[in-house]
Amino acid sequence: MAVFGLMPLRFLGPNVYPKAPDGGWGWVVAVAFFVVEVFTYGTIKSFGIFLQDLMGEFGETNSRVSWIISISIFVMTFNGPLSSVMTTRFGFQIVVMLGGFLMSAGTIATSFTTSVNQMYITYGLVSGFGYCLTFLPTVTILSQYFKDRRSLVIALASTGESLSMFALAPAFSALKNQMGWRHTMVVIGALQSTIIICGATLRPIIIDPDATRKKENCKSSPQDINCKAFRVKNKTSYSQENELTGDSGIQSLKDTDTGGLQERTLLEKSIDNQCAANSDEAKNKDLKEQTLRDKKPKLLDFSILKENSFILYSLFGLFATLGFFAPHLYIIELSASWGVERERATLMLSIMAVSEVLGRFAIGWILSRPCLMEKKILVLLGCIVIMAADLVGFALVREFYGLAVCCSLYGFFMGTVACTHIPMLAEDDVVGIERMSAAAGVYVFIHSFAGLAGPPLGGVLVDVTGNYGSAFYSCAAGMAVSAVFLALVRPAKKGLICKRRNSKCPESSAKYTKEPSTNNMSQENVALDHTHNEDAAQNDQTV
């Protein structure tokens, strides 16, 4: 009951495991994350089917309408720390269910708007905040349920984003042609409400290495059983002796063998001392566990910014985000500028989508290989380097098939990076699973500025140079800088960048914090041995 006292209202109680189960209820969480991917990023990427209708009905420009999605994505990423705070305070279930409600309400309210400015509020702010409260908590708790197969499961579950573009985008487009964009928005909002059900299935997980032993200790320990058995047996023998002699207890003791009495007395004292020691140890252990349970986690852990590995990884995410926007925004115009027909140029997006699905499946299988379990950062670094080279290739090729190859490579490695860069925070090379919840919010918050500034930066370069290839060059430069920061993450975590005795070095601090604990344990053992020797000497004198 003490564990439940720490947690707010739950629709399903927490699961307690001695280690990450790599399955079990985690598969239900994986399905929930798949649905969240479908109705968050999948819906955002499918919003383009409404652009022409909104421009025509409200008489707005393309850039004005495009700000709806930009605001939504910025709100989603900018409020990452707030999502972490709410998850720590209220739990995964309540936060995700609230996010599903806001997402659904914002989308349905968008169908009743009469201007683009109103859509900035309904879809940009309300739905965007709902996206934030659903995506980050779900991917965080999914990472906690899996360890050895974490990369594979997250990669499979994240395919909901890509599959949504294949299945839902054409379906919504056909529905829009039949019912209009307003009624289609209502249908999308109603479907997004299923995330509320998914949120209720996110059972919290408690990793307790002593969970199995604690269940066994719920019963009486063998020492306690021996103590009770000895006292009962000794009392029964003593009573029977009194009945046989027909005298009182004092008279019987005088008539019995003095040696047997002393042996029994010493044995009883020894058992009592052992029982008292076991009782004190159990009380100390229970007090320690109660202290750990009563220690509430911080709502927002700013100490994560003191870790050099996290800072470098956040800078990697910041500059890498600059390389994510150009291909999807400018590939059609770039292809058309090189003489490719627009009908064929639109196929570039489909090539990217198919390749992205394949990349997600591939990276999940690759990172689950035993030989690469400890080298995930290096695998991600290789993907980033190839993406930087591929972005340069976009600006160099001049014909359809060359651009198609670049799109397939970009989509494949985009899929590998998209489904791993946030879960990679759970790896020991970055921050570890224990601090992932706080780290994910801060990480997404940091790279949200690049997501907001990236498209305008590319647009300025295109307007100045008159060449769409300049946007791809800027993305390639950002991706190359991100690769440098990513390459420094592992050395920073090992303490090779900062000084060994610096408190910011994890290994050094761990080393110097463990030594006093070891000395204390040694002193306690010496004290216990000294006490035991005094008891033995006292018993010898009594004999």
Side-chain angles (χ1 to χ4, degrees):
M1 297 300 294
V3 176
F4 288 96
L6 267 178
M7 299 180 180
L9 176 63
R10 304 293 187 193
F11 295 88
L12 291 174
N15 287 319
V16 181
Y17 298 99
K19 62 178 182 178
D22 272 327
W25 193 261
W27 295 116
V28 178
V29 179
V31 174
F33 181 64
F34 178 86
V35 177
V36 169
E37 279 278 336
V38 170
F39 292 113
T40 53
Y41 281 107
T43 303
I44 290 174
K45 289 186 176 181
S46 301
F47 191 84
I49 63 176
F50 301 108
L51 291 181
Q52 295 298 326
D53 298 273
L54 298 178
M55 291 169 58
E57 181 166 341
F58 298 123
E60 297 287 354
T61 62
N62 192 0
S63 60
R64 283 265 299 170
V65 176
S66 298
W67 270 103
I68 299 174
I69 295 298
S70 298
I71 294 174
S72 180
I73 296 176
F74 179 73
V75 171
M76 176 182 179
T77 54
F78 183 81
N79 290 285
L82 180 58
S83 176
S84 299
V85 170
M86 295 181 65
T87 301
T88 304
R89 178 63 181 85
F90 302 105
F92 294 97
Q93 292 173 312
I94 296 296
V95 173
V96 174
M97 293 175 69
L98 176 62
F101 172 77
L102 292 176
M103 186 191 311
S104 177
T107 304
I108 294 176
T110 302
S111 63
F112 297 98
T113 55
T114 58
S115 66
V116 174
N117 292 333
Q118 295 177 2
M119 287 186 177
Y120 292 161
I121 298 175
T122 58
Y123 199 87
L125 297 180
V126 178
S127 292
F129 188 58
Y131 292 145
C132 176
L133 296 183
T134 55
F135 177 78
L136 276 182
T138 310
V139 70
T140 300
I141 193 172
L142 181 60
S143 300
Q144 295 176 358
Y145 269 95
F146 292 87
K147 183 178 180 181
D148 295 337
R149 292 186 286 186
R150 180 186 298 150
S151 300
L152 178 60
V153 173
I154 293 179
L156 294 178
S158 65
T159 56
E161 173 186 343
S162 301
L163 295 178
S164 175
M165 298 179 63
F166 285 105
L168 294 184
F172 290 153
S173 180
L175 189 63
K176 175 179 67 70
N177 295 332
Q178 295 293 328
M179 303 173 56
W181 70 270
R182 294 185 182 272
H183 292 88
T184 304
M185 282 285 186
V186 174
V187 173
I188 295 175
L191 292 175
Q192 287 176 332
S193 64
T194 58
I195 295 182
I196 300 177
I197 301 176
C198 295
T201 64
L202 301 180
R203 300 180 63 177
I205 179 173
I206 299 175
I207 303 298
D208 187 358
D210 298 331
T212 304
R213 183 163 53 84
K214 288 178 180 178
K215 292 181 179 179
E216 297 176 354
N217 290 339
C218 290
K219 303 178 181 180
S220 297
S221 62
Q223 293 84 354
D224 295 336
I225 296 176
N226 292 336
C227 296
K228 295 178 180 179
F230 175 80
R231 290 194 180 98
V232 172
K233 181 179 179 180
N234 189 40
K235 183 177 180 181
T236 303
S237 176
Y238 179 69
S239 300
Q240 290 176 354
E241 184 180 354
N242 290 340
E243 293 177 358
L244 291 175
T245 58
D247 297 327
S248 64
I250 300 176
Q251 182 68 28
S252 299
L253 288 173
K254 292 180 179 179
D255 297 336
T256 54
D257 184 16
T258 305
L261 176 60
Q262 291 179 350
E263 290 178 0
R264 186 169 63 232
T265 303
L266 292 176
L267 181 58
E268 184 176 4
K269 182 183 290 187
S270 177
I271 293 295
D272 289 339
N273 292 335
Q274 185 178 2
C275 293
N278 293 334
S279 178
D280 293 339
E281 182 181 357
K283 290 180 180 179
N284 293 333
K285 183 177 180 181
D286 293 338
L287 180 61
K288 181 179 179 181
E289 292 176 355
Q290 183 67 29
T291 304
L292 292 176
R293 286 194 297 263
D294 294 339
K295 185 179 179 181
K296 296 182 180 180
K298 297 179 181 179
L299 291 181
L300 190 58
D301 189 4
F302 288 103
S303 63
I304 195 69
L305 296 175
K306 296 181 180 179
E307 294 194 18
N308 291 340
S309 59
F310 176 74
I311 294 176
L312 292 171
Y313 194 82
S314 298
L315 292 174
F316 147 73
L318 177 68
F319 286 96
T321 305
L322 294 175
F324 289 163
F325 69 89
H328 294 92
L329 287 178
Y330 298 119
I331 184 58
I332 295 179
E333 298 300 330
L334 178 67
S335 301
S337 64
W338 298 139
V340 180
E341 298 179 359
R342 284 193 171 270
E343 290 75 10
R344 301 183 69 187
T346 55
L347 295 177
M348 300 296 177
L349 294 178
S350 299
I351 295 174
M352 287 185 186
V354 173
S355 301
E356 185 174 338
V357 174
L358 297 178
R360 292 174 185 267
F361 280 108
I363 195 64
W365 180 84
I366 291 173
L367 295 183
S368 62
R369 298 300 90 195
C371 59
L372 297 176
M373 293 294 292
E374 304 296 331
K375 301 178 181 179
K376 294 181 179 180
I377 292 289
L378 298 180
V379 175
L380 181 61
L381 178 61
C383 296
I384 293 296
V385 172
I386 296 176
M387 285 184 68
D390 183 62
L391 286 169
V392 175
F394 275 102
L396 298 179
V397 296
R398 295 290 188 276
E399 44 91 22
F400 174 80
Y401 293 104
L403 292 172
V405 171
C406 291
C407 288
S408 60
L409 289 175
Y410 179 84
F412 182 87
F413 290 102
M414 176 66 180
T416 63
V417 175
C419 67
T420 56
H421 71 107
I422 294 180
M424 196 70 70
L425 292 168
E427 301 299 327
D428 294 334
D429 287 337
V430 188
V431 296
I433 188 63
E434 294 81 5
R435 309 184 70 184
M436 180 186 175
S437 181
V442 179
Y443 171 75
V444 174
F445 168 79
I446 291 175
H447 82 251
S448 65
F449 295 98
L452 184 66
L457 176 61
V460 170
L461 293 176
V462 171
D463 293 338
V464 172
T465 61
N467 181 11
Y468 286 98
S470 59
F472 290 84
Y473 281 126
S474 66
C475 292
M479 197 69 69
V481 174
S482 71
V484 175
F485 286 113
L486 183 60
L488 297 175
V489 171
R490 292 190 72 185
K493 190 64 176 181
K494 295 180 179 180
L496 300 179
I497 294 180
C498 57
K499 295 181 180 179
R500 279 291 181 182
R501 294 182 180 268
N502 194 333
S503 59
K504 293 184 179 181
C505 296
E507 292 185 357
S508 300
S509 60
K511 176 181 177 182
Y512 288 102
T513 54
K514 288 182 179 179
E515 288 180 354
S517 176
T518 304
N519 294 333
N520 292 335
M521 290 298 295
S522 300
Q523 295 174 0
E524 291 177 1
N525 293 334
V526 172
L528 291 176
D529 292 340
H530 182 67
T531 304
H532 179 72
N533 293 333
E534 289 180 351
D535 292 338
Q538 184 178 0
N539 293 337
D540 292 339
Q541 292 177 1
T542 303
V543 176

